[in-house]
């Protein structure tokens, strides 16, 4: 890599350089979850289904994951300052286009383009950040900061967008992200010199075909997992064709990588035992992480909080992530007791899920959730970056880029699977619990008429005519039953996830090789890692 001092102008203070890099990185992270910051408001604005909003986020994610295999060639060939300028212009154009359109299919395409651009911005920011961290463990520190931001992205994005959505139409959030991103990006561009952050390499022989195959396959995976439940899975021809295409593209991609002289993803990484171990724990971690979204849904759907209030409580989770990330950095720098770190992290996560099973109720004080949310953040912060760095450290330096690419593919697939899992089991458990509750109300609950009269009396006291109050009382009772069914689903799902955490702890204790693997990223090139 070229001397980092030549990247920035000499007279620029170090604090301004680091601040500008950090703000560009934060804006890039915010853009990822922007489309789902308030899924209900987004679906209402575009006249779409909630599944469409989730799919738009996965289009962004699929672009990041697939473009990462070719992005490094652009970064190493183009002058870093020029590359940043290209990304700034494209980011503004796509965000403004999202602001102007209400066509959901166009939103899908624009979100995919944003993912490609965001991959470049993330790569630029991480490389520049690593160049400013002078310590021996600069990359460990940089990755921990980045993945700590990833863990905080949902509540931070929601806090950013909630006031805008409440006072304006939903599309204003895309205009707001432009004004959030533009000052920091322009500042970073201004203080840079026209030089290469990495050793210059030729731009020819870019493996575009790998990018096309990977991106198509990932988009189809997202389509199947998001819309499969809605379309009755294999009963729908589009799902059937998509699954067949995924299998075909997977086989073609694997055979192609095996036959290429310089494959985009070197599949030899799977020959390393520690790499496979790390991938298994990464899958488990993302499934567990995906279940955390139910907590925010509980605050809104059961406790009746508005989006802003629900995410203000998540500040305690953000504080926990920061604490857990600091603990992780200490362990990574000392390069020992990694297994203890993982056991402690999963133990905190299991404690959170068991604790929430006890706290889930129709009425609850917000102060009861502060400590469990903090502990969940600590556990996630202690696990996220160490697991990913364990994967990258388990292969030779020459394969680090391939390991990173496989890692982001796995994260994308598992993140999509966790969304599908929550959607599927929510419908399943809510159906089971709803039928049980409705049966109890109709057969065993002899106080049902009194309960309806109570609802009717409350509505009448508010000024509603008696006949309308009677009809509305039935609706209120139905909503109460649905709320109770959702509450029981949350308890059932969190019990399963808590058990998964405990099983993972047992699995870690059976793998002493974890603590014998030293985390060493000094010879690894910073990867265009995604979310």
């Amino acid at each position: 890599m070229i001397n980092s001092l030549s990247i920035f102008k000499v007279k620029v203070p170090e604090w301004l350089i680091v601040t500008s890099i950090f703000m560009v990185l934060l804006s890039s992270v915010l853009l990822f979850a922007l489309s789902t910051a308030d899924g209900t408001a987004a679906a209402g604005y575009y006249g779409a289904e909630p599944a469409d909003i989730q799919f738009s986020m996965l289009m962004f994610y699929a672009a990041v994951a697939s473009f990462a295999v070719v992005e490094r060639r652009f970064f190493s060939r183009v002058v870093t300052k020029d590359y940043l300028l290209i990304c700034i212009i494209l980011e503004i154009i796509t965000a403004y286009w999202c602001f102007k359109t209400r066509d959901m299919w166009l939103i899908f395409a624009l979100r995919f383009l944003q993912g490609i651009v965001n991959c470049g911005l993330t790569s630029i920011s991480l490389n520049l950040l690593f160049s400013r961290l002078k310590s021996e463990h600069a990359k460990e520190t940089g990755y921990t900061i980045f993945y700590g931001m990833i863990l905080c992205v949902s509540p931070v994005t929601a806090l950013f967008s909630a006031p805008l959505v409440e006072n304006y139409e939903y599309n204003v959030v895309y205009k707001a992200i432009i004004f959030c991103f533009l000052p920091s990006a322009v500042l970073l561009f201004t203080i840079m010199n026209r030089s290469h952050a990495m050793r210059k390499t030729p731009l020819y022989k870019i493996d575009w075909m790998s990018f096309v195959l990977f991106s198509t396959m990932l988009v189809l995976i997202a389509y199947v997992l998001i819309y499969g439940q809605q379309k009755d899975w294999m009963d729908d021809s589009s799902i059937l064709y998509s699954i067949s295409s995924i299998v075909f593209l997977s086989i073609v991609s694997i055979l192609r990588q095996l036959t290429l002289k310089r494959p985009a993803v070197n599949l030899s990484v799977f020959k390393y035992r520690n790499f496979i171990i790390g991938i298994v724990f990464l899958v488990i971690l993302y499934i567990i992480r995906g279940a955390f979204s139910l907590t925010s849904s509980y605050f809104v759907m059961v406790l009746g909080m508005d989006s802003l209030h629900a995410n203000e409580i998540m500040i305690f989770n953000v504080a926990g992530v920061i604490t857990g990330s600091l603990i992780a950095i200490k362990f990574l720098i000392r390069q020992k007791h990694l297994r203890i770190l993982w056991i402690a992290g999963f133990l905190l996560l299991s404690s959170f899920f068991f604790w929430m099973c006890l706290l889930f109720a129709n009425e609850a004080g917000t102060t009861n959730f502060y400590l469990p949310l903090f502990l969940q953040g600590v556990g996630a912060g202690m696990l996220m970056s160490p697991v990913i760095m364990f994967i990258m450290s388990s292969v030779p330096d020459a394969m680090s880029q391939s390991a990173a690419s496989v890692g982001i593919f796995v994260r994308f697939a598992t993140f999509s699977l966790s969304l599908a899992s929550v959607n599927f089991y929510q419908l399943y458990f809510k159906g089971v619990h709803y039928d049980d509750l409705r049966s109890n109300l109709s057969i065993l609950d002899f106080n049902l008429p009194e309960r309806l009269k109570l609802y009717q009396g409350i509505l009448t006291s508010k000024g509603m005519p008696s006949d309308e109050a009677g009809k509305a009382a039935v609706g209120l009772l139905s909503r109460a039953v649905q709320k109770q069914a959702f509450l029981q689903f949350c308890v059932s799902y969190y019990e399963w996830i808590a058990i998964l955490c405990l099983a993972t702890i047992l699995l870690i204790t059976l793998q002493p090789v974890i603590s014998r693997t030293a985390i060493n990223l000094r010879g690894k090139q910073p990867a265009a890692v995604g979310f």
Side-chain angles (χ1 to χ4, degrees), residues 22-38:
F22 182 81
M23 293 306 297
V24 170
L25 191 59
L26 179 60
S27 300
S28 301
V29 171
L30 285 175
L31 190 60
F32 167 66
L34 194 63
S35 62
T36 54
D38 192 329

Side-chain angles (χ1 to χ4, degrees), residues 419-478:
L419 288 177
S421 176
V422 170
N423 292 339
F424 173 78
Y425 284 108
Q426 182 172 350
L427 289 175
Y428 173 75
F429 279 120
K430 282 179 69 176
V432 171
H433 294 315
Y434 185 77
D435 290 341
D436 289 343
L437 288 168
R438 188 169 57 182
S439 175
N440 291 336
L441 282 173
S442 60
I443 298 175
L444 301 177
D445 192 349
F446 299 104
N447 295 320
L448 179 58
E450 287 75 10
R451 193 175 304 184
L452 287 172
K453 287 182 180 179
L454 176 62
Y455 287 143
Q456 185 175 0
I458 294 174
L459 293 172
T460 303
S461 66
K462 299 294 184 180
M464 183 177 290
S466 179
D467 56 338
E468 294 183 10
K471 297 177 181 178
V474 176
L476 287 176
L477 180 62
S478 178

Side-chain angles (χ1 to χ4, degrees), residues 266-308:
N266 191 339
L267 298 181
S268 297
V269 294
F270 288 99
K271 294 180 180 179
Y272 296 89
R273 179 190 174 194
N274 284 8
F275 178 79
I276 297 175
I277 291 174
I279 290 295
V280 170
F281 286 112
L282 184 62
V283 169
I284 294 172
L285 180 59
Y286 262 69
I287 291 175
I288 294 171
R289 180 66 186 171
F292 182 57
S293 62
L294 285 179
T295 302
S296 298
S297 300
Y298 163 74
F299 290 153
V300 175
M301 297 179 63
V302 178
L303 298 186
M305 298 182 187
D306 58 85
S307 179
L308 182 61

Side-chain angles (χ1 to χ4, degrees), residues 233-250:
W233 298 105
M234 303 298 284
D235 292 336
D236 184 82
S237 59
S238 65
I239 298 297
L240 185 61
Y241 291 147
S242 296
I243 293 175
S244 301
S245 299
I246 291 169
V247 174
F248 174 75
L249 290 171
S250 300

